Structure formats: structure tokens, C-alpha cells
Amino acid sequence: MPKERKKRGRREEKKRKREDEENETLAKRPKPAEGEVDGYDEEAFGDDYLPLSGPSETPFYGMLDEEEQEYFKHADTMLELNQFSDPEERALFLANVYKEASGKELKIANSQSCSRLMERLILSSTADQLKALFRKFNGHFIHLVQHRFASHCCETLFVQAAPLINQDMAAPSNESSNDQAAGALSIEQLFLGTAAELEGNLGFLMVDRFASHTLRVLLLVFSGRPLVDQHTTSLLQSKKKEHITFASKVAPKTGVSGQSRTVPESFGAALGQLVQGMVGGLDTTNLRALAAHPVANPLLQFILDLELSQSGKSKAKDSDSLFKRLLPDDPPEEGTESASFFNGMLYDAIGSRLLEVIVTNSPGKIFKVLYRSLFRDRVADLAKNETASYVLIKVLERLNKEDLEDSVKQLCPMMQSLLERSRTSVITCLVDRCRVREVDNTALYEALDPKQGEEAAESLKKLLCLYPVDDTETRQKHGGKQDPNKAHASLLAQSILEASTPLQSLVTQGILAMDEPTLLHMAKDRNATHVLQKLLTCPSVAALSRRAVMHNITNMAMDLALDAVASHVLDAFWQGSDPESSEMKPFVRERLAETLLSNEKTLRDSVSGRAVWRTWKMDMYKTRRYEWNVEAKGQQGQQKSQQPLKTSLELARERHAAATQSHASRKEREEKKKKGKTAASILTGANARAVLLSAVQDLLIPFIRAADEDATVKDTGHGLSTEGGAPRTALVEQHKPQKLSQLLDPQFPETGVGQEGFLQLTQKVLQYSVNTWDQGFLPKLYASTDAPGVASDLILSVLNTNVHVYDASPALTIIEKATARALASLFGLTGPHAGGISVQGGSASNTTSIVIARNTLFPSTKRNGNANHAFILFTSAHGHYSVEKAAQMLGFGSAAVWTVPVDPSSGRMRPPALESLIARARTEGKTPFYVNATAGTTVLGSYDPIRAISKICREQNLWLHVDASWGGPAIFSPDLARERLDGAHQADSIAVNPHKMMGVPVTCSFLLGADLRQFHKANTLPASYLFHSDADSNAHGDGDGADVVGEGGRRKEKQNHPSEIYDLADLTLQCGRRGDALKLHLSWSYHGTSGYRSQIETAFATASYFANLVAQHEDLVLVSENPPPCLQ
């Protein structure tokens, strides 16, 4: 038999010798002294000691010689390695081993060196081989079950032979003719013979430390219970039992399963005789003595479990039952002997396990009495005790909702004490039961987090025992091993994730508040990593929280993939980002897949990396990207593949129908061409355009009016019914993309369809579009427009001009400059060169600001690129994804964007964390240069503390950009802006989108700056064919000395620079520019500043009112602060 792995060295050798001597001493049974039975001292057990006698003498079966031992050791090694080329070779080898072992079976079973071979043989044997071996052991079980090594062989034999009973019952005629002719015993008879052989010695065997395990297995077989079950496995097997394994991935097949088994009627009688032989003659005193016996107690547990679960709850009332003899008082209330026994066992490490079985299986009425008299008022005290707490857990699992709420009240005041004592199992059970019983967990949340979200990351680290990697003192405290409390703490955190809010936020907010090094340390911790995996896959965790964690994980994907433990986090990432089941967008997977693909060689050189590569199906991503995308976007591919194949007849019918439809469509198109020629010839000149615009207006006005008409019945939950249909509940006639493509049927005809076709297409577009004028239209971060907005967009389409140079669009240029300057002045940017430009959207504003920041602080990068600079950008953990996308576009890469942790309760950036990250970046030799503060985050609407952040940026010489795309319009209200946008005047650039909150038609976005000369210097290029500096044209205005910032922010001498720029494309990354500033200018003129102020203040007040309604509603949970910082 191969030797186990052992440490080398003289000390380890001496230690092994001592252990072998102790084991040898235990294996030898000393001769009982006077007043002692088989090594158990009567005085040690007291007056209630029960003398039990066993077999008089153990026979000697002989010893294997050296040659036999060497052969069987080699055979054991071969079976363990399991490297046979095919099943036939393995079967032949087994047959040869059985042939060599014939007549030596009992020797092998009793041999210290070869007994494991016998177990491995049993696990690999066929049904006939098992039966033959059973017959060889038959008649010797009384001695084998008491032997240190042979008892394990008996256990394995009983478990593997049990499924044969069902096979014989299902097909009794399959019994071999040879066995019948020889009069061999069936497997049923063999088991019954074993029971009969042990009968008369059961009282002794139940306290024998080897035989007691075998008896439990025998009871399991006779009971018909599942042979593989978590409950039975822990009860039947010793923790020290060596598990026999096979090296090959394809282990030998056995008939053992986790299903309940049908057993012969004879087994029921045999089971009763076995139980009677063990405990039938024992009274209450003797049974209670055995309840505290370390060997007999597990047998009592199993017998009691069988009695209550299989014989019915009525068995508990039978005076001869084990349950009634243990607890004879009816009811077992406080003051009775039964209650005294119960109280004594509560704190006994052995007896308490029997109490767990009693609590779990006792009839409902008896449990209520036990709970009322022994537990209800002692929940807090029992939770403190390490032993009694396990019984308490079983009690909590049976409580109804009212009693569970009472227990929560008792345990909440001492919750911190339980955490300090590492009694996390009790808390875990409490959390789980509150979830199952739908008990409000607010009290638990407040008890577990007295600081109410403050320092969430530190609290979670403390709970999970995430000691620093270099914390040698703590590791020495546990002898260099893992802290035994960490596994229980991990289970608690996982249970909290499955709970509802607010309790769930204890873990989710803690993980979201962690910086990347801490999160990486958590992912690599063998226990804490399961919490992270649970968060990624748990459906009860909000998709937004999981997406935020996935974003952080993507930034450190390679560190995770190359670690044996942390790589499983990426497996959970793949599972948790399935769009079909987790409401995740496909790009969440695509971003990480790109990271893995760019590091293919590194991953393939690592064992864990290769596992991640397989899980993420990167070979498919690399070579068949379309198939990977289909799978990453959900189960569309599976659904397609699951469609039944069509018959030839069905395919023929489809081809005929398609040909018929094609012929009809061709005739219809020819008729449309004729009509199109006539219609197209009419539409010429201004009058024709007026006719078409008037016709379109006739379609648009009813479309807008439909929203007003729906408003009269909107409170009923339905919209007005369409012709021939029922009342609508949506703002659009919803169809899947494939169906909508068929309905719209976009065509690109050779000959135009004219006005009639144009109007038909317009009608279709309106029919299948979302009506944004409806009061029920509540989109993400933008609103319906109004009449001035529609008119301004129409004017821009009529002008159809490009606002790139002054000569092409003089009026729109002046309007854009004036509008941007007025908007900038509201934010306090009032310098002589302050102003702004219109851009395509908030993402474009952020991207442009990064280019300006880099080229201003490091002018050489405009020509030479990033060179040797490892630039770092900082943004809020709740900031918009456009910053990261911009970093990819500009060559920095996603890893250059460092997310700054936010306050868990408010969602605002934490300035101290920003300072810490800046210092860390400089220490690592990187170049921090840009900070993005958010004014109105996408989800919570939070406003970062701009003033505090600006102070840090000035001290560190960093560019401060404020992304106020969503929350910026609050600047129109001094009351709202005073707290939310305090310090905005100290920003270098600000992004604001009037199309989001102000009702201006999309797209209308501005990038504002304190000094537009920096915009020009950063973006201008010598395109003389387009941008002219002729002084007479006044296109650039007069030159002016402007401060120029040198490398790293150092000031240089003044250089000539235009004071006013009128060719606006020279300030941006665009050349084709729509005059979107006109839309804000006309709307601002129409409503006035006071009009916008009133509109925005009303919106904030409405949001606050709605938040109060949510907070007061018992079925809703308010996620944001109250009042909310912004409109969502």
C-alpha cells in the first residue's frame, strides 16, 4: 500500500512513533480488572453504570507473509492509481486479485497494511464478487466488527451490498443458477444472518468504539434510508475515518445513491430486533447514562431519529418507546426529571447532540412545551454557550413567525457580543429563518451594524477576519493554520446576501466600499472568496450592486485568474453575468473577455488561468466571436438549437409559400413604383415642401395629442384602447426585434415612393415608437420635450448648417458662444475667458475634457502621445462608465481609471480615499492628472463634495472635471445648488446636459471651462484650408498673452494666443457640428431663468414627495436618501 505524505525530519519521526505506540495500545484490549468491564471503570460512571458483556475470546486469523503483503500492497497501489486502459483490463486485474486473495480474506481484513486493499476491492467489485465476499465473512462478523481495521471493511461491505437487495427484489429470477444449485444464501439472507449473529451481544457492541460504527451502518441498511446523505454521513462515519479514493477522474461505479430504498418486509422485523437488543432492556436511568457516553450516544441518536421519523409521531406516546423512556414526564415541563435531564445535557458536549435529535424530531405539541418551559426565556443565555448554541439552532429552525420575532428581540442586544465570541452559527441560523419566515430584518441590521453603514468596508473585513497578508502575529496565534472562525463568518455573510434589505446592505455596501487591494485580498482568501462569489451569483442582490462589483473585478481580472482560489471568482462572474437570468448587459462579459484575450499566453501558462479560459469559452471568443456573443447575450442560441427539426414536407410547403409571397410582393412594388413616379414629380419647390410638412404635421399632432387623451385615464393603470383592441398598458406597441423588422419592412427602392409612401413610412415609425409625450414616460435620465424644443429642432433642420467655422454659421456661432458663457456664469465660471462649447453628449464632454487636461498639463503629449507616462484618472465608484470608455479610446486603457470608494449611505465620493489613491499612484511611479467628480450619479443621483475635491486637486496639481450631465441644471435654483454644487466654480471643466432635466430635445450638451484658451491650445491643429486667422475677418480676434502650462503643470512664459475663438470646431474634437446650442437658447428665452427655476424646483419637490410615499409604504423599500439628492 503506498505511504501517505508525511513531513520529514527527526522530530516528525519521533512524533509518528509516539502516535503508533498510542494506536497500538488502543488496539490491544487489556484484561479487565476487578470491577471493570472491558476497560470501562464502574466508578467512573457511578451508580447508573450498566455492565455489558461481550464475546469471550477473539480468534486469530493468521498473518500474511512478506511475499503476500508485497503483492497485495502493489495491488492496492494499482487500484488506487486506476490507470487501466479499459474496463476489461481492470476487471481482469480484479479477478486475479480475488483469485490470489481466496482463502485469505479474513487475514487481509485484519491486516493493518492490507485492510485498505480490502476496502478498495469492495468498492470495485461486481455484484457476484460482493456476494462471494459477504459469504466468506459470514459467521465471523461478531469478531470483525470489533477489530480496528476489519470493522471498516465490514462497513464498506454493508454499504456496497445494500443496493443488491433492491436488484434482487426487482428481478429475483436473475439469481445465478450456480448459486441456487449450491444452495448459496441470497444477499437478503446474508444480512439477516449477520443480524442474528450479532444478536445477544448488541449491548456490548453498542459501546465498543469500533463496532458501534458498524452497527449504525447495519441499522441504516435495514431501515431503507438513503446510503449517501449529509445527515447520515456525519452520523455514521468518524471524523478520523480514512476515505478510500481513486486517482482517475472516472472512479468505479457503485450502486450507492442518495435515494430512499425499498427493503424486504423481513428487514423491518430485523431492525426491530436489533433496536430491541440494544436498548430494549434499559430503563430511563441507564438510557440517560448512555446519552452521555461518547460511543453509545451516536447510536441513540440514530435509533431515536428512526423511531420518530419512520414510526410516526405517535410512537413518542408509546411507553416502550425510546423517546418516552428518555422523557417520561408528560408534559416535560420545568421542575420535572425530564426537564432536569434536558438542562443537564444542554451543556454536555456529547449529550447535547441527542437533544438536537429530540428537538428536531419531537412532535409539535411536545416541542411547544419544551420551547415554552426550557428555551423561550433563555434564548440569549443559550446563545452565549458554545455547546448549548447548537441545540438553540435546532430550536430556532422550528419556531413560527411570532416566536422567531421574540427570539430576535432577545438576541439583538447581544449581537455584538455573539460576534466577539464567534457564535456566528446562531446569527446565521437567525438570518436564514427570518428570511424563510418573512420576518422584518431591520432590527438585525441595526444590531449587526450599530454605525449604520459607516466604515462598511472595515466592518466587513472584521467580520470575515481578513487579516493583512503580513499580519504574522495573528497567524502565529492560530499556529500557522487558518482561523477556524473564518468559515463560519463566511457562511454568515453568504446568508446575509440572501436576505432582503436593509440587512443585505451590510455585505453589499462593505464590498462596494473596498478598495482594489482589499477586494483582491478577499478574493484570494479561501473562506472570504465564497462571499464574493455569492454576491456575483445571488439573484436577491440588486443587479446594480453586482454590476459595480463586476466593474471592479474587471480591473484586476488577471490577478484573479492566476490565483488558484481567486480564479473561482471569475467563474462566478461568468455565471452571474448571464443576461438571460441576471438582467446583465452583454458588454459586462465582453469587457472582461477582452482582458483575458489580451493575456492569452499568460493564462495558458497557468493551471488556474487555463481553467478560467475554458469557463469563459475563450477559444470560441477568439475564433467564433459571433457564436460567443449569441451565448453571452442569453439563451437565444440554445432556444434556436432546441427547435424541432422540420420534415421535408414542411420545408416544401414553406418554399411554396415564400415563392407565392415573393410574386405578390413584386407586383405590389411595381404598382408602388408607378405611383411613386407621379408623386415624386409633384413634390418640387417651396409649395411642395409646405404640402409635405403640413401632411407630416397632421400625423404628428394626433401622436402628441394621444398622450394628453391617455392622461385622463392614466390613473386606472390603462391607456386608451386602440381600434379593435383592449386598453393599452404600455407606451408603445411592443414587439421583438425580429417581428418588428417584419412589420416595418424597411425598403430602399430604386425609384422613390413619393409623398404617399413617405407618409406611410412615417405612420409606421410613429406607431411602433415610444410616445415620450405621455405622462407615463419615465425613462433613465432624460425627459419629454415641449413646443419650443420641437420648433427649435425644426429650425435647425431647415438651416442645416455646420457650426464648425464662423463664415459657415455666423449667427449660430454667436448664439453658441453667448449661451455657453451664460450657462458657465451660473456655475461661477465668470473669468474673461470663461465659456463653453456644445458637444454630442455627456460622454463626448467627458472625453474632450480628458484630452484638454492631458494636453494642457503635459503639452508634449499632444504631439508625442502618452510616451513614458503611466497616466491615471480618478472617478467615483458610482461615476458614469464613459470615463473608462474614454480611457480606452485615448490609449490609456481601462486599468488607468481608478475608482474612488464612495460613502455607502450617500453614494458620494470620499475625499480621504481620493488622497490615498493619488499617493499610491505616485508611489507606484504613475502619473495622476485628472479627477472626475460627479454631480448627480446615474443611480442614486448623488453629488460628490466638489469643494473638498477641488482643494485636493489644487494641492496635487490635478485637473478637476465635474460631470454634471444629469444634476447640473440644479444650478438654476440657488437653494438647490447651494449644497449640491458648492465649489463648482473651482472646477477646470464642467459637463452639463440640458436635454436631461430641462426638456430640451436630445442631443443638447455643453462642456464648460474656466479658460477657453486652454481648450484651443489643447485641440487646435494647423488646418489652414479650414481655420483662418486673418485679422480682417476677425475670425480669431486679437492675440493676447496667455499663461501656458508646461510639463506636469509647471507655468511657462506667456505666449501669444487668441483671446476669442469663433471657429468653434478648433476647440473640439469635431469638425461636423450641429448647432444644438440654439435649442437651449430658444427654450431659455421662451421659459426664462425663473421659469426653469420653478420647473426644476417643482421636479425636486415631486421627487421628495414620492420618496416619502415609498418610505411610508410597507411593501416598498426606499433605496436613496430622503429627500433624494436628485430626481431619481
Side-chain angles (χ1 to χ4, degrees):
M1 170 173 191
K3 294 183 178 180
E4 60 180 335
R5 286 186 176 180
K6 297 179 178 178
K7 295 181 180 179
R8 294 179 291 182
R10 288 175 294 175
R11 292 183 179 178
E12 290 297 325
E13 185 65 29
K14 291 180 180 179
K15 182 178 178 181
R16 284 197 296 271
K17 287 182 179 179
R18 287 197 302 269
E19 292 176 350
D20 292 341
E21 290 174 359
E22 292 174 359
N23 293 334
E24 185 177 354
T25 303
L26 291 173
K28 297 178 180 178
R29 296 183 177 274
K31 182 178 180 181
E34 185 178 353
E36 183 183 346
V37 178
D38 197 25
Y40 294 102
D41 189 357
E42 181 176 351
E43 295 180 359
F45 285 91
D47 297 335
D48 57 357
Y49 171 71
L50 179 67
L52 300 169
S53 59
S56 57
E57 185 178 353
T58 301
F60 177 67
Y61 295 107
M63 297 180 62
L64 298 170
D65 59 34
E66 292 185 5
E67 184 177 350
E68 290 173 332
Q69 288 192 35
E70 287 300 321
Y71 172 80
F72 290 125
K73 286 181 180 179
H74 174 71
D76 185 49
T77 303
M78 292 291 293
L79 287 174
E80 181 181 20
L81 294 176
N82 203 24
Q83 296 177 342
F84 302 100
S85 59
D86 51 51
E88 289 75 12
E89 182 183 353
R90 178 186 179 84
L92 181 61
F93 179 79
L94 277 174
N96 290 331
V97 175
Y98 264 108
K99 183 177 180 181
E100 185 65 30
S102 179
K104 308 182 185 73
E105 293 87 354
L106 297 177
K107 290 183 182 181
I108 297 173
N110 285 270
S111 171
Q112 178 180 2
S113 59
C114 297
S115 62
R116 273 173 285 196
L117 167 65
M118 180 58 68
E119 288 193 69
R120 221 180 296 275
L121 275 175
I122 295 171
L123 291 171
S124 308
S125 297
T126 63
D128 291 337
Q129 290 170 339
L130 280 176
K131 293 177 182 179
L133 187 61
F134 208 135
R135 293 167 188 140
K136 292 291 181 70
F137 281 9
N138 193 28
H140 301 279
F141 283 114
I142 187 63
H143 303 294
L144 295 177
V145 297
Q146 299 176 70
H147 194 274
R148 178 183 179 187
F149 307 116
S151 62
H152 295 297
C153 298
C154 294
E155 294 173 28
T156 306
L157 177 63
F158 292 157
V159 171
Q160 296 300 315
L164 302 181
I165 302 169
N166 301 91
Q167 296 178 14
D168 288 351
M169 292 178 64
S173 61
N174 290 340
E175 192 83 25
S176 66
S177 59
N178 293 333
D179 288 345
Q180 292 177 357
L185 298 175
S186 67
I187 196 69
E188 177 184 351
Q189 294 170 331
L190 288 171
F191 271 111
L192 293 175
T194 303
E197 181 182 346
L198 300 180
E199 194 172 352
N201 296 284
L202 294 171
F204 167 79
L205 295 177
M206 71 182 297
V207 294
D208 183 273
R209 69 195 189 101
F210 301 122
S212 63
H213 291 283
T214 313
L215 285 180
R216 292 177 227 163
V217 175
L218 202 57
L219 289 176
L220 177 69
V221 173
F222 281 116
S223 67
R225 282 194 169 189
L227 298 171
V228 180
D229 182 78
Q230 182 178 3
H231 172 67
T232 56
T233 300
S234 61
L235 187 64
L236 298 179
Q237 292 185 353
S238 168
K239 293 181 180 179
K240 298 180 181 179
K241 178 177 174 60
E242 179 181 356
H243 295 278
I244 304 300
T245 58
F246 297 85
S248 175
K249 294 182 180 179
V250 183
K253 294 182 179 180
T254 65
V256 179
S257 69
Q259 304 295 325
S260 297
R261 298 170 293 109
T262 303
V263 294
E265 293 182 2
S266 58
F267 273 28
L271 177 63
Q273 292 176 1
L274 285 175
V275 172
Q276 183 68 19
M278 295 181 201
V279 298
L282 303 181
D283 58 12
T284 299
T285 303
N286 291 323
L287 285 174
R288 290 177 178 176
L290 291 178
H293 194 287
V295 177
N297 177 278
L299 256 175
L300 286 182
Q301 292 181 52
F302 194 62
I303 294 172
L304 189 59
D305 191 358
L306 286 174
E307 181 180 88
L308 293 175
S309 60
Q310 287 194 299
S311 301
K313 302 295 184 180
S314 59
K315 183 68 174 178
K317 300 178 181 179
D318 190 346
S319 58
D320 294 332
S321 67
L322 177 60
F323 182 87
K324 194 63 177 178
R325 280 182 285 165
L326 282 170
L327 302 174
D329 298 293
D330 191 12
E333 294 179 336
E334 187 66 39
T336 62
E337 289 187 7
S338 298
S340 300
F341 165 71
F342 219 98
N343 289 328
M345 292 293 101
L346 269 174
Y347 301 99
D348 185 89
I350 297 171
S352 62
R353 296 181 180 273
L354 185 65
L355 297 190
E356 293 182 41
V357 177
I358 293 175
V359 169
T360 303
N361 297 285
S362 61
K365 291 183 179 179
I366 297 178
F367 170 75
K368 290 179 181 178
V369 173
L370 291 174
Y371 171 71
R372 185 177 62 252
S373 59
L374 302 178
F375 292 101
R376 184 169 60 185
D377 299 328
R378 304 168 58 192
V379 171
D381 294 332
L382 294 176
K384 296 177 184 178
N385 186 272
E386 182 177 7
T387 302
S389 62
Y390 289 101
V391 182
L392 177 63
I393 289 173
K394 299 298 181 182
V395 173
L396 293 174
E397 289 176 350
R398 292 198 63 178
L399 294 182
N400 56 34
K401 184 175 182 179
E402 292 74 16
D403 291 333
L404 189 62
E405 289 174 341
D406 181 65
S407 297
V408 171
K409 292 179 181 178
Q410 293 187 55
L411 290 173
C412 280
M414 57 176 300
M415 201 62 67
Q416 294 301 317
S417 175
L418 290 177
L419 290 175
E420 293 173 1
R421 294 167 180 258
S422 298
R423 301 288 181 265
T424 51
S425 297
V426 176
I427 306 175
T428 302
C429 178
L430 202 62
V431 171
D432 289 337
R433 298 312 299 170
C434 286
R435 173 174 53 83
V436 173
R437 295 292 189 188
E438 298 182 351
V439 175
D440 182 26
N441 58 32
T442 304
L444 276 175
Y445 167 69
E446 294 173 351
L448 288 170
D449 186 21
K451 296 184 179 180
Q452 298 298 301
E454 297 180 11
E455 302 178 358
E458 291 300 322
S459 298
L460 184 59
K461 286 168 59 179
K462 182 179 179 182
L463 172 64
L464 297 176
C465 307
L466 281 178
Y467 311 122
V469 179
D470 56 351
D471 190 355
T472 55
E473 180 181 349
T474 305
R475 297 190 179 279
Q476 289 175 357
K477 176 181 176 182
H478 299 288
K481 300 178 181 179
Q482 290 287 340
D483 187 344
N485 298 319
K486 295 182 70 172
H488 292 289
S490 174
L491 292 173
L492 171 59
Q494 293 175 58
S495 295
I496 291 175
L497 283 174
E498 292 184 340
S500 58
T501 54
L503 184 60
Q504 187 188 85
S505 62
L506 285 176
V507 178
T508 56
Q509 295 300 331
I511 293 178
L512 289 173
M514 286 181 179
D515 54 20
E516 286 190 8
T518 305
L519 195 62
L520 180 61
H521 178 36
M522 179 180 179
K524 292 183 177 181
D525 186 273
R526 293 187 178 275
N527 293 294
T529 186
H530 294 290
V531 181
L532 196 54
Q533 295 172 35
K534 185 71 174 181
L535 183 144
L536 294 173
T537 57
C538 185
S540 61
V541 178
L544 177 65
S545 299
R546 283 185 284 140
R547 195 180 306 156
V549 175
M550 289 176 179
H551 170 77
N552 296 335
I553 288 175
T554 304
N555 295 336
M556 52 185 180
M558 288 306 298
D559 291 324
L560 298 176
L562 301 180
D563 185 85
V565 175
S567 60
H568 294 291
V569 174
L570 296 184
D571 297 341
F573 190 124
W574 173 264
Q575 179 184 350
S577 58
D578 181 8
E580 189 73 13
S581 59
S582 61
E583 302 178 2
M584 290 292 173
K585 299 299 182 184
F587 72 83
V588 175
R589 282 182 172 179
E590 292 175 9
R591 288 176 51 212
L592 196 142
E594 279 298 321
T595 301
L596 298 179
L597 184 61
S598 62
N599 294 274
E600 178 181 0
K601 186 179 184 304
T602 306
L603 289 172
R604 291 190 182 277
D605 291 340
S606 166
V607 175
S608 59
R610 289 194 294 271
V612 171
W613 186 271
R614 288 192 299 271
T615 299
W616 280 75
K617 305 178 182 179
M618 292 304 298
D619 286 326
M620 182 190 297
Y621 183 80
K622 181 180 179 181
T623 59
R624 305 187 305 279
R625 184 73 59 90
Y626 174 76
E627 294 180 25
W628 191 94
N629 284 331
V630 170
E631 186 166 347
K633 292 177 181 178
Q635 305 301 323
Q636 299 173 6
Q638 293 184 12
Q639 293 174 357
K640 183 177 180 180
S641 63
Q642 292 172 359
Q643 293 178 354
L645 296 176
K646 297 179 180 178
T647 64
S648 301
L649 181 60
E650 290 174 333
L651 293 173
R653 287 173 175 172
E654 287 185 358
R655 286 194 295 269
H656 176 71
T660 303
Q661 183 179 6
S662 176
H663 177 70
S665 299
R666 188 161 48 250
K667 292 181 65 177
E668 183 180 354
R669 285 197 299 269
E670 290 174 357
E671 292 177 0
K672 285 185 177 181
K673 287 181 182 179
K674 296 177 181 178
K675 294 181 179 179
K677 290 179 180 178
T678 305
S681 61
I682 297 174
L683 289 177
T684 56
N687 292 334
R689 294 185 179 91
V691 171
L692 180 59
L693 290 176
S694 178
V696 171
Q697 177 180 313
D698 292 339
L699 296 178
L700 296 180
I701 299 302
F703 178 81
I704 298 173
R705 185 179 292 115
D708 297 329
E709 294 171 349
D710 272 358
T712 60
V713 294
K714 186 62 65 178
D715 58 335
T716 66
H718 295 284
L720 293 175
S721 60
T722 56
E723 185 176 352
R728 295 177 291 107
T729 58
L731 309 179
V732 63
E733 186 175 329
Q734 185 69 40
H735 297 284
K736 292 184 177 181
Q738 296 82 354
K739 178 65 175 178
L740 185 58
S741 297
Q742 297 175 359
L743 293 173
L744 288 175
D745 190 26
Q747 298 289 333
F748 305 94
E750 182 69 25
T751 304
V753 296
Q755 176 176 323
E756 183 178 352
F758 182 92
L759 295 177
Q760 290 177 354
L761 291 174
T762 304
Q763 181 63 50
K764 278 189 176 183
V765 172
L766 294 175
Q767 179 180 352
Y768 299 116
S769 295
V770 176
N771 193 335
T772 61
W773 297 83
D774 197 293
Q775 291 182 357
F777 179 64
L778 299 174
K780 293 182 179 178
L781 309 186
Y782 80 101
S784 306
T785 185
D786 53 14
V790 173
S792 61
D793 233 346
L794 178 61
I795 294 170
L796 283 176
S797 296
V798 171
L799 292 176
N800 194 36
T801 188
N802 185 6
V803 190
H804 61 326
V805 295
Y806 177 83
D807 294 335
S809 52
L812 293 183
T813 299
I814 298 299
I815 287 176
E816 179 170 336
K817 289 179 64 65
T819 304
R821 187 186 297 274
L823 192 58
S825 66
L826 292 179
F827 287 90
L829 303 179
T830 56
H833 303 291
I837 51 174
S838 68
V839 287
Q840 310 100 302
S843 297
S845 296
N846 294 340
T847 303
T848 306
S849 70
I850 296 173
V851 174
I852 295 172
R854 183 196 63 182
N855 292 354
T856 300
L857 297 177
F858 301 87
S860 63
T861 60
K862 184 177 179 181
R863 178 179 181 82
N864 301 326
N866 297 335
N868 296 326
H869 295 291
F871 287 115
I872 298 296
L873 306 86
F874 302 94
T875 188
S876 161
H878 286 187
H880 197 259
Y881 72 89
S882 60
V883 175
E884 181 179 353
K885 185 166 286 188
Q888 296 175 353
M889 293 167 53
L890 301 175
F892 301 126
S894 295
V897 180
W898 288 15
T899 55
V900 183
V902 299
D903 184 284
S905 59
S906 65
R908 306 176 74 202
M909 183 190 293
R910 294 167 51 203
L914 173 62
E915 282 188 298
S916 176
L917 288 175
I918 294 172
R920 173 185 155 200
R922 295 194 191 281
T923 303
E924 293 179 4
K926 301 183 185 301
T927 307
F929 78 102
Y930 179 94
V931 176
N932 174 55
T934 307
T937 56
T938 307
V939 178
L940 293 180
S942 305
Y943 287 76
D944 288 338
I946 301 174
R947 184 177 293 276
I949 296 172
S950 67
K951 180 181 178 183
I952 296 172
C953 291
R954 288 197 306 274
E955 293 173 353
Q956 298 290 339
N957 203 18
L958 306 182
W959 185 279
L960 173 59
H961 173 70
V962 177
D963 182 5
S965 300
W966 169 231
I971 199 67
F972 280 86
S973 170
D975 294 335
L976 295 174
R978 187 174 296 110
E979 177 183 358
R980 292 169 173 79
L981 293 165
D982 178 41
H985 65 285
Q986 296 176 341
D988 297 294
S989 57
I990 301 174
V992 60
N993 289 0
H995 72 247
K996 291 185 181 293
M997 192 180 295
M998 299 173 65
V1000 178
V1002 290
T1003 305
C1004 184
S1005 178
F1006 286 83
L1007 177 62
L1008 311 176
D1011 191 345
L1012 289 187
R1013 295 175 300 174
Q1014 295 176 329
F1015 286 34
H1016 183 264
K1017 180 66 176 177
N1019 289 315
T1020 187
L1021 287 172
S1024 57
Y1025 62 89
L1026 185 63
F1027 305 121
H1028 307 291
S1029 58
D1030 186 355
D1032 295 336
S1033 68
N1034 199 25
H1036 286 180
D1038 300 327
D1040 184 26
D1043 290 338
V1044 178
V1045 181
E1047 289 293 325
R1050 294 184 296 273
R1051 295 282 180 180
K1052 297 177 66 176
E1053 68 277 6
K1054 291 187 176 182
Q1055 298 182 0
N1056 289 332
H1057 193 78
S1059 59
E1060 284 289 340
I1061 300 95
Y1062 288 89
D1063 292 344
L1064 298 184
D1066 211 12
L1067 299 173
T1068 73
L1069 306 179
Q1070 302 169 252
C1071 184
R1073 301 179 72 252
R1074 197 165 188 259
D1076 291 324
L1078 178 67
K1079 293 186 286 188
L1080 175 60
H1081 173 69
L1082 293 179
S1083 296
W1084 198 341
S1085 301
Y1086 182 91
H1087 294 289
T1089 303
S1090 61
Y1092 271 136
R1093 181 187 308 118
S1094 175
Q1095 175 182 316
I1096 292 169
E1097 288 178 348
T1098 300
F1100 274 79
T1102 303
S1104 180
Y1105 173 77
F1106 185 68
N1108 289 331
L1109 294 179
V1110 172
Q1112 295 168 8
H1113 200 287
E1114 60 181 5
D1115 295 332
L1116 300 176
V1117 176
L1118 184 63
V1119 177
S1120 70
E1121 295 176 309
N1122 195 6
C1126 204
L1127 299 187
Q1128 75 271 45

